[in-house]
Amino acid sequence: MRIACLGGGPAGLYFAISMKLRDRCNDIDLYERNRPDDTFGWGVVFSDRTVENLMQNDAVSGAVIAHEFTHWDDIEVHIHGETVRSSGHGFIGIGRKRLLAILQERARELGVRLHFEHEASPRLEDWADYDLVIAADGANSRIRSAYAEHFGIDVQTRRNKFFWFGTSKVFEAFTFAFEETEAGWVWAHAYRFDAGLSTFIVEMAPDTWARLGLDRMDQPQAIALCERIFAKYLDGQPLMSNAGHLPGPQAWLNFRRIICGRWSYKNLILLGDAAHTAHFSIGSGTKLALEDAIKLAEVLNRPGLSREQALEEYREERNLEVLKLQNSARNSTEWFETLDRYLHFEPIQFAYSLLTRSQRVSHENLRLRDKDWLEGVERWFQSKARGTPVNDPAPPMFAPYELRGMRLANRVVVSPMAMYSAREGTPNDFHLVHYGTRAQGGAGLLYTEMTCVSAEGRISPGCAGMYAPEHVEAWRRIVDFVHGNSNAKFCLQLGHSGPKGSTKVGWEGYDVPLDEGNWPVMAASDVPWSAQNQVPRPMTRADMDRVREEFVAAVRMGLEAGFDMVELHAAHGYLLSSFITPLMNRRTDEYGGSLENRLRFPLEIFQAMREAWPADKPMSVRISATDWMGDDGITPEDAVEIARAFGEAGADLIDVSAGQTWADCRPVYGRMFQTPFADRIRNEARVSAMAVGNIYEADHVNSILAAGRADLVALARPHLVDPMWTLRAAAASNCREVHVPPQYRSGMAQLARNLKREAEAALKA
C-alpha cells in the first residue's frame, strides 16, 4: 500500500514503523509541518504495560526507548506546608524530543520517507495518489477539521489554564505542589524525564489566572511569576518554555477533550490525538497513540480481513480503551477543577484523595503499592473517627460514625430496597427474616424499604406502610429483633408515591399500572410519570395539609415502633420529588417556578417531621442529585442547594441518589456512578452525605470513605445476594472491629482463615 502519514509525532511515526515491520513493501511518506527537533511538550510518561506492548511490536526501538527511560517510584504531595510521600507507584519517563529522535531514526532505517517543514494539505483530493491517508496531526488536526461532519466530533474545552514548562531542577519523586497566592490556588505537576530535566506543568482556575494578570503578561513575565510562586521547589533553577512563538496569554492552554464517533472516512483514518484526547493529569495521551498505531497496523495487514472490517475492528477495540481512559481522565480533570472542595482536608486525606481521584487507583491498590503508608492513612482515619489515637490500622469502613445521639459501629449501610411483600401495608415474617438476617450481617445501619404514609401513598399493593396500628406492632417486632440480635441501628424511610403510585409489584412490571383496582394519584402538577401511567391530580393546599399530617403521624408511629432514625424520601419522582424537579412541577403558585419555591412543600414536610421526632435522634433526606436531563432538570449544582436547604432545616444526613424522576432520562451508569454527587454535596454543602449506586466491593467503600467523598456508604443489591456482606469484608481484612453474633463466631473465624490462605496463595502465584 502507498500511505501518507500526516503528522510526525509519536502516533504517525510509530504507525509508519509498525506498517513497515509487517510488510516492507508498504510505501510510506510521513509529512510534518515542523522541524525534526521541534516539540511542544517536555517529558512523556509510560506504564510498564505500554513498554511491554512496544517490545512485542518492535524490539529494536523498544529496547532503545526502555534503555533510556528514567524510573521513579515515589509521589510527593505538598499542601498547607506539609509534604506527604508515598511509594510503589512505578513511573517511567522519557523526553519527548528524545522519543521522537528514536522513532525518526527507526522509521528511516525501515525505509519510511520523512518530510519535515512540509505543510500537509487538508484536502483529500491532494492525496489521490495514496491508498491511505493517516491523520496523525494531533488534537488540532486540520484534515479532520476539514471533514468534521463525517467524524461526529465532540470537543469539550476544560476550564483550567495550564502552561507546560520544563526545568533543569531534577525531581526525584512525581511532585504535586499546591501554593496559595492572594489571587487563589496555583499548583504544579512535576516529574523528571532524563538525567537533567523535568517537566513542570503549572495549572490554575481561570479566575485565578486572570486575577494574577497572566492574561496581560508576555512569556518572560509569566515565567518570572511562576518561578516566584514555586521558588522553594525549583532550588534556583529556571523554568523554560518551548512555546516561544506564541504571545504570552496564548501560551496558556485549556485542555480540549476530543471524542470522535467515527474514525475513518473514505481512505482517511484518524490516529492518536486526532481521534481522541486524554487529560495530561493521567499521562496517557502518548500511550493511547502508540497503541492505536499498533492495532491499526495489525488489522490492516491481517490476511483475509477487508479494509472495512479492519477499520471497524480498529475503532471498536481502541475506542473501548479510549473511553475507559477518558472516564478516568474526566474524574482526574474534575478533581483539579473542583480543588476548592478538598482544600479543607488534612494533608494526609488530601493526598489520598489526589491519588485516588481517577478511580483507577483504589484502597487495596494503594496497599499493594505502599502498605505502610496506607496503614498510616487507616490509623489516621480511625483516630479521627474515634477521637483518640489508634495504633492498629483497620479499614475506614469499620470506623464508627455519629449522627446526633446515634453512634454507628461502622460506615456500611444496607440501602432501602422495595420488597413488595407486605399485605395491606403490614410487614410480615418475610420482612422479619429479611431485615433480621441483614442486621446480623454486620452493617452499621439498616434501612427499611420506602414505607408509605397512607394507603394511597403506596407504590404498589405490596408496599409496606406506617399508617395503621397493626403496622406499628408489626414493625416493632422487627425492630426489637434487630436491636436484640445485632449492633445495627435501624432507619425508617418514609415516603409517598405520588404520580408513581397504583402500579404492579416490581417483578410483574416496573412502574406499570395495575390491571384493575387502581386508586387515584396526585402530584405537584398534572404531569404523568409516563404515557402509560395515570395523569395525577395537582395537589391542593388541603391535600398538602393532609399529607403533612400523614407524615407526622408516621413519624410518631416510627418512634413508638422503636426506630433509631427516620428518613424522608424526596427522590425518584415520588410525591415530594415531583415538587422539586422542574420536569414535573409546572405550578404557577408559590410552590412552583424557582428552586426555592419548589422546595417549599418538601421542606414544610421535613420541618413538621423534625418537630415530631426527638431532638437527640437523627433524620436524613433522600434526594435525586440529578434528573439526568441536563439543564432542563435538577442539576448537580441544584443538588448542593437542595442539600444545604435540608441541612439548615435540621437534616443530619443526605442520602444521595440520582435520577428516576423522568421516564426519558439519560443516566450515565458505571462503577460508583453516583458517588461524585455525594462528594460534591458533602464537600460543598458541608453536610454529612451517604453514597449509593453500583458500589459492590469493600475496596469501593474504603476508597470512598478515605478520600472524603462520603461519610457513609450504602449497598443494595450486594446485600440481597449476601446478607453477611459486611462480616465477609471484615474476615477478608482480618478486622475485629465488627459485631459477630455468638452463634456465628466459629464460622467467621474459619472464613477468616480460609480467606487468609487464599490471599497468601494468590501472592505466591
Side-chain angles (χ1 to χ4, degrees), residues 385-614:
R386 298 174 187 278
T388 186
V390 171
N391 293 322
D392 294 330
M397 63 190 289
F398 297 113
Y401 195 68
E402 292 186 4
L403 293 167
R404 297 205 182 206
M406 183 182 78
R407 182 178 175 88
L408 301 177
N410 60 62
R411 309 292 183 102
V412 180
V413 180
V414 178
S415 192
M417 297 171 281
M419 292 291 102
Y420 303 111
S421 299
R423 292 183 176 86
E424 300 298 329
T426 306
N428 49 51
D429 285 351
F430 171 85
H431 298 85
L432 175 67
V433 174
H434 170 72
Y435 291 115
T437 305
R438 280 147 190 83
Q440 290 179 316
L445 180 61
L446 181 69
Y447 269 78
T448 69
E449 59 201 276
M450 187 177 93
T451 304
C452 305
V453 298
S454 66
E456 71 171 359
R458 291 175 298 165
I459 306 167
S460 76
C463 288
M466 187 64 95
Y467 52 86
E470 54 268 31
H471 300 161
V472 179
E473 292 303 315
W475 278 118
R476 184 188 292 118
R477 176 174 176 240
I478 299 168
V479 173
D480 287 348
F481 181 90
V482 168
H483 287 160
N485 294 275
S486 77
N487 278 357
K489 302 300 183 182
F490 208 173
C491 179
L492 170 64
Q493 187 190 69
L494 294 173
H496 189 298
S497 61
K500 295 174 77 173
S502 190
T503 60
K504 297 179 178 180
V505 299
W507 50 84
E508 292 178 355
Y510 188 67
D511 289 332
V512 177
L514 295 168
D515 294 329
E516 56 183 21
N518 283 283
W519 57 86
V521 299
M522 60 183 175
S525 304
D526 56 351
V527 179
W529 161 248
S530 74
Q532 66 179 339
N533 290 88
Q534 292 184 58
V535 176
R537 181 184 81 254
M539 290 184 74
T540 64
R541 182 62 252 186
D543 291 327
M544 295 181 194
D545 291 341
R546 175 170 51 82
V547 169
R548 182 192 63 230
E549 294 311 311
E550 288 170 346
F551 271 97
V552 170
V555 165
R556 291 178 176 141
M557 291 179 182
L559 183 62
E560 187 180 349
F563 283 99
D564 304 289
M565 178 176 169
V566 168
E567 175 167 287
L568 173 64
H569 199 321
H572 298 171
Y574 297 126
L575 183 68
L576 300 185
S577 176
S578 79
F579 277 84
I580 296 172
T581 172
L583 298 171
M584 301 186 78
N585 187 337
R586 310 289 172 82
R587 300 177 73 102
T588 58
D589 60 7
E590 66 269 34
Y591 300 99
S594 67
L595 178 60
E596 180 182 7
N597 283 357
R598 300 196 311 272
L599 275 171
R600 194 182 302 272
F601 181 56
L603 283 170
E604 179 184 324
I605 295 286
F606 179 82
Q607 288 163 341
M609 294 169 65
R610 180 71 268 181
E611 290 176 6
W613 188 245

Side-chain angles (χ1 to χ4, degrees), residues 586-728:
R586 310 289 172 82
R587 300 177 73 102
T588 58
D589 60 7
E590 66 269 34
Y591 300 99
S594 67
L595 178 60
E596 180 182 7
N597 283 357
R598 300 196 311 272
L599 275 171
R600 194 182 302 272
F601 181 56
L603 283 170
E604 179 184 324
I605 295 286
F606 179 82
Q607 288 163 341
M609 294 169 65
R610 180 71 268 181
E611 290 176 6
W613 188 245
D616 64 332
K617 288 179 176 285
M619 287 184 63
S620 60
V621 181
R622 170 167 274 203
I623 67 170
S624 287
T626 175
D627 289 333
W628 297 115
M629 290 293 290
D631 292 336
D632 293 334
I634 291 295
T635 66
E637 291 85 354
D638 294 330
V640 173
E641 296 307 313
I642 294 167
R644 187 175 285 124
F646 278 112
E648 291 172 355
D652 305 289
L653 176 73
I654 304 299
D655 179 358
V656 187
S657 188
Q660 302 180 56
T661 56
W662 195 243
D664 296 326
C665 67
R666 300 182 294 272
V668 180
Y669 293 112
R671 179 170 50 95
M672 300 183 284
F673 73 109
Q674 293 176 164
T675 299
F677 306 129
D679 182 348
R680 184 166 191 170
I681 285 169
R682 179 186 189 268
N683 295 305
E684 289 188 17
R686 300 292 181 91
V687 296
S688 293
M690 182 163 72
V692 62
N694 205 20
I695 300 166
Y696 51 88
E697 293 181 358
D699 200 15
H700 300 164
V701 177
N702 288 319
S703 298
I704 290 168
L705 294 170
R709 306 181 77 194
D711 301 286
L712 300 174
V713 179
L715 299 91
R717 290 181 178 87
H719 278 120
L720 285 179
V721 298
D722 187 359
M724 302 294 167
W725 188 92
T726 306
L727 293 185
R728 192 180 302 279

Side-chain angles (χ1 to χ4, degrees), residues 222-338:
I223 289 172
L225 175 61
C226 291
E227 287 174 344
R228 288 197 299 274
I229 292 172
F230 295 103
K232 64 185 178 184
Y233 306 101
L234 293 170
D235 295 338
Q237 298 300 318
L239 292 177
M240 300 176 285
S241 167
N242 53 22
H245 65 295
L246 293 173
Q250 291 184 26
W252 290 88
L253 305 175
N254 292 81
F255 183 80
R256 297 169 72 236
R257 191 275 288 136
I258 295 171
I259 298 173
C260 291
R262 293 169 295 280
W263 291 14
S264 62
Y265 168 65
K266 295 185 176 179
N267 65 333
L268 174 62
I269 306 171
L270 304 183
L271 187 69
D273 282 356
H276 49 73
T277 57
H279 194 259
F280 60 83
S281 64
I282 65 166
S284 296
T286 302
K287 158 195 160 61
L288 287 174
L290 296 176
E291 292 174 352
D292 279 359
I294 294 170
K295 181 62 182 181
L296 181 57
E298 188 269 317
V299 295
L300 288 174
N301 288 277
R302 190 190 304 164
L305 201 64
S306 69
R307 182 178 298 176
E308 183 180 33
Q309 291 171 323
L311 294 180
E312 179 67 18
E313 181 177 328
Y314 162 63
R315 194 260 174 193
E316 288 297 318
E317 181 178 310
R318 293 302 305 150
N319 190 53
L320 180 61
E321 290 302 309
V322 168
L323 290 177
K324 289 178 182 177
L325 272 173
Q326 284 187 330
N327 182 58
S328 297
R330 183 193 68 243
N331 295 334
S332 177
T333 307
E334 290 178 352
W335 192 91
F336 287 105
E337 290 178 344
T338 58

Side-chain angles (χ1 to χ4, degrees), residues 75 86-89 351-353 355-356 361-375 377 699 703 706:
I75 290 179
S86 61
S87 192
H89 302 287
Y352 183 101
S353 178
L355 292 175
T356 58
V361 177
S362 69
H363 196 78
E364 292 308 313
N365 187 264
L366 285 174
R367 194 183 307 279
L368 291 173
R369 296 179 184 213
D370 193 337
K371 182 174 181 288
D372 291 342
W373 184 80
L374 185 72
E375 289 184 352
V377 173
D699 200 15
S703 298

